[in-house]
Amino acid sequence: LGGWFGASPEERKRWEAAGTFHSKSGYHRLAPYEEDGDTTDGGRSEGQAVSARTRTRLPPAMDRGGQQQRARRPRLPSWKRNSVERRLGALPTFRPYFIWLITLVQVGVTVYTLLDAGLAPIALQPKSKDELVNDTMSGDPVNVMRTIPTNFMLGPEAKYLVHRGAKFTLCMRKDTALLTRLARDASLENQLRCCQSMQAGKARCGMMDQETCRLAPIFGTVLGGPAQCNASLETCDGGVVLRPCCTGLNAGCMITTQQNCSFFDGYWHPDKVLCRDVNCLGDVCRIPFASTPATPADANQWYRFFLSILLQAGIVPAVLFLGLQLYLGTQIERQIGWLRIFLIYTISAVGGFLTSAIFDPETQQVGASGALFGLFSIKFVELMQKWQIVRKPCTELFSLFIALLFVLALGTTPYLDNFANAGGFLFGLFSSVIFVPYITFSTFDAARKCCFVLVALPILAFIFLIGFVVFYNTQNTSFCSWCKYINCVPYTSNFCEEGFNVLKIKQP
């Protein structure tokens, strides 16, 4: 159609006389039959009706090799095609300002994160690290091993992405499983006592179990409760060497030395003696220029639904997804304008992350893959609306299907989210029906498409409402044990777990 609509009136008349027109893909037949004379909207000559007997057989279309092409019966009568042609030609074109802007911001944020955090170790499975550290008051070194997160997509660690606004449910809602675990750990800390151990003539203190305090290599003395573990007291002139250390993304905490805490890449609290006195979730959810939850029960960083769109897991998804976004988005925005694509893009992205937060709340996710699938849904809706005038609609549909499968295959790796992809396509489908302008071929077709809009609008509002209600009030993810393989396939051992800081909080 591009060759026909982009031609001048003189070229169209010459092609009409020959019964063919030329485009980039070759010569194409206009129709098996054409009416004599110039036609108007009603398919009639100037002032008189054209009967079937006055129609003239046109010569068959020829391809570039001179071979006769098989004639295809048009899907629309010629008078309808002329009407559709005029309406399509009258549609305005827009500059893709929104796609240019959002892609530029995403590229800038990606470059900043790489410069600020650097690259995580590149591997398909986690790496381990051994080191001799002093993790007790005895001063004796102990061999400790920890797992180092990796990122084969040439990006930063997951911990850094969470600190910059990645989708992470612990920071976005009051998580009942986390609160139950913290309450259980706090009750266990009631059994800890302040232990004093003499090392190099200095009295070192720390909270630990009474039996551990009296055994080797500490050989300590139990002083009492937490109030006794104070560096300012004469009984602990060597300082309190055991303090709470917040580690991992699941608000984990252990009482250990500062050296051991640094080895585990944790945050050591030098002014506290028990884990129940610190807010480890605040350390995990800290975002620059944003409020930090004072307690785990106050977690409500809803804006992560939007900040996650700007982040990328690494160079690989940035090149693939942002390139595809720029290619598709530029074409679409030229046709529908910045406001419509902005609404569909945002609804698809937020809806995708909402779907991911419901079905897979244990992982952190970033990227605009949900919004990208929203762009795919626009192409699908446009294809369905223009099915009668597209030359090879089945081929277009198959190409779209192959592109979707390619992105879904990438979604089976960590950091990329197939639940967000599926949710983005679903929300994008309904929003595309609402906001994408459409053409009609008859009165019935106009009424049918208008009904689609009236039905899609309440459905979109309903699934958004149900989604947020389920996300904030229903936190049971055990209803689908195999759903995790939709989002991440363990191509290697521990591919989807320890190596990528997957959150693991078991239900009590």
Side-chain angles (χ1 to χ4, degrees):
L1 292 179
W4 174 263
F5 295 136
S8 63
E10 292 76 11
E11 290 176 322
R12 294 184 186 179
K13 290 182 179 180
R14 185 171 64 254
W15 290 341
E16 287 175 352
T20 61
F21 72 97
H22 178 263
S23 68
K24 293 182 179 180
S25 59
Y27 289 87
H28 311 281
R29 186 175 182 83
L30 286 176
Y33 293 91
E34 186 64 88
E35 296 159 346
D36 291 336
D38 295 330
T39 58
T40 59
D41 291 346
R44 301 290 186 267
S45 302
E46 296 287 344
Q48 63 178 357
V50 179
S51 65
R53 297 181 179 178
T54 61
R55 297 177 181 173
T56 304
R57 180 85 179 192
L58 294 177
M62 308 296 289
D63 59 14
R64 294 184 179 180
Q67 299 297 324
Q68 179 176 336
Q69 293 181 339
R70 183 171 57 91
R72 295 182 176 89
R73 184 172 298 278
R75 297 183 180 89
L76 287 177
S78 59
W79 65 271
K80 283 189 178 181
R81 291 192 348 157
N82 294 336
S83 177
V84 171
E85 172 193 339
R86 285 192 296 272
R87 281 182 287 168
L88 289 176
L91 291 177
T93 57
F94 306 89
R95 288 189 176 273
Y97 292 121
F98 172 74
I99 289 297
W100 289 347
L101 178 61
I102 190 66
T103 305
L104 179 63
V105 172
Q106 290 167 337
V107 171
V109 172
T110 301
V111 173
Y112 170 76
T113 56
L114 294 176
L115 294 177
D116 187 38
L119 296 178
I122 303 172
L124 294 179
Q125 58 185 4
K127 295 183 177 181
S128 59
K129 179 181 179 181
D130 298 336
E131 188 173 318
L132 293 175
V133 298
N134 179 17
D135 66 338
T136 66
M137 295 185 298
S138 64
D140 298 332
V142 179
N143 187 22
V144 181
M145 182 184 70
R146 78 178 181 97
T147 301
I148 302 177
T150 59
N151 188 345
F152 71 95
M153 294 188 179
L154 307 179
E157 293 185 9
K159 182 178 180 180
Y160 179 86
L161 295 175
V162 173
H163 290 332
R164 292 298 179 269
K167 183 225 78 179
F168 195 55
T169 56
L170 289 188
C171 304
M172 302 168 68
R173 68 182 181 188
K174 184 173 73 172
D175 194 279
T176 56
L178 175 63
L179 295 177
T180 303
R181 195 203 70 188
L182 294 179
R184 183 178 64 247
D185 294 344
S187 64
L188 295 177
E189 285 188 336
N190 293 330
Q191 305 174 6
L192 302 183
R193 295 293 181 267
C194 183
C195 178
Q196 179 195 64
S197 176
M198 299 300 298
Q199 300 292 334
K202 296 290 185 177
R204 299 182 177 184
C205 298
M207 298 295 296
M208 63 175 55
D209 184 78
Q210 298 185 47
E211 297 181 1
T212 305
C213 178
R214 297 189 178 100
L215 296 177
I218 299 177
F219 300 110
T221 303
V222 177
L223 299 181
Q228 300 298 324
C229 273
N230 193 319
S232 62
L233 299 178
E234 295 180 358
T235 54
C236 297
D237 55 352
V240 179
V241 295
L242 301 182
R243 299 282 189 179
C245 174
C246 296
T247 60
L249 293 177
N250 61 346
C253 181
M254 60 181 178
I255 300 177
T256 185
T257 62
Q258 185 176 8
Q259 181 186 7
N260 194 37
C261 185
S262 300
F263 174 73
F264 281 97
D265 195 22
Y267 184 81
W268 203 63
H269 293 266
D271 56 341
K272 305 294 181 182
V273 294
L274 290 174
C275 285
R276 66 189 180 192
D277 299 329
V278 300
N279 179 20
C280 290
L281 186 62
D283 299 332
V284 174
C285 302
R286 183 179 293 109
I287 301 178
F289 312 108
S291 59
T292 301
T295 63
D298 299 328
N300 188 26
Q301 293 182 340
W302 54 268
Y303 40 83
R304 287 180 178 268
F305 282 121
F306 299 93
L307 293 179
S308 303
I309 304 174
L310 305 179
L311 296 170
Q312 297 295 324
I315 299 177
V316 174
V319 173
L320 292 178
F321 290 167
L322 295 185
L324 188 57
Q325 170 182 290
L326 190 63
Y327 174 74
L328 289 177
T330 301
Q331 296 179 4
I332 295 172
E333 190 174 354
R334 290 186 186 277
Q335 298 176 4
I336 68 176
W338 72 269
L339 181 58
R340 290 187 176 94
I341 196 172
F342 165 75
L343 293 174
I344 299 174
Y345 188 95
T346 306
I347 291 173
S348 302
V350 175
F353 282 123
L354 179 61
T355 306
S356 172
I358 294 173
F359 287 94
D360 190 20
E362 296 181 344
T363 59
Q364 64 285 335
Q365 300 293 344
V366 295
S369 61
L372 179 61
F373 269 72
L375 299 181
F376 280 127
S377 68
I378 297 177
K379 301 293 288 185
F380 177 78
V381 170
E382 284 187 335
L383 179 60
M384 293 298 103
Q385 290 180 351
K386 301 178 181 179
W387 187 273
Q388 301 180 67
I389 61 175
V390 177
R391 182 170 179 265
K392 294 182 178 180
C394 293
T395 303
E396 296 287 340
L397 183 61
F398 180 75
S399 301
L400 182 61
F401 179 72
I402 294 299
L404 290 175
L405 286 182
F406 172 73
V407 181
L408 286 175
L410 293 178
T412 59
T413 59
Y415 295 112
L416 305 180
D417 196 343
N418 271 339
F419 288 111
N421 296 340
F425 189 84
L426 176 64
F427 282 85
L429 189 65
F430 288 106
S431 57
S432 297
V433 172
I434 297 172
F435 297 112
V436 171
Y438 55 85
I439 59 174
T440 58
F441 304 101
S442 64
T443 304
F444 172 77
D445 188 52
R448 179 172 59 89
K449 292 178 178 178
C450 184
C451 290
F452 285 161
V453 175
L454 296 178
V455 172
L457 184 59
I459 291 179
L460 180 63
F462 177 75
I463 58 178
F464 253 124
L465 177 62
I466 294 299
F468 281 112
V469 170
V470 171
F471 172 68
Y472 283 106
N473 298 324
T474 304
Q475 302 185 19
N476 181 18
T477 60
S478 60
F479 60 89
C480 183
S481 59
W482 54 269
C483 287
K484 60 182 179 180
Y485 297 110
I486 298 177
N487 209 30
C488 187
V489 177
Y491 298 107
T492 62
S493 60
N494 299 328
F495 183 68
C496 301
E497 296 184 359
E498 291 86 349
F500 297 93
N501 279 336
V502 174
L503 171 66
K504 291 295 179 185
I505 297 181
K506 301 299 183 182
Q507 295 287 346

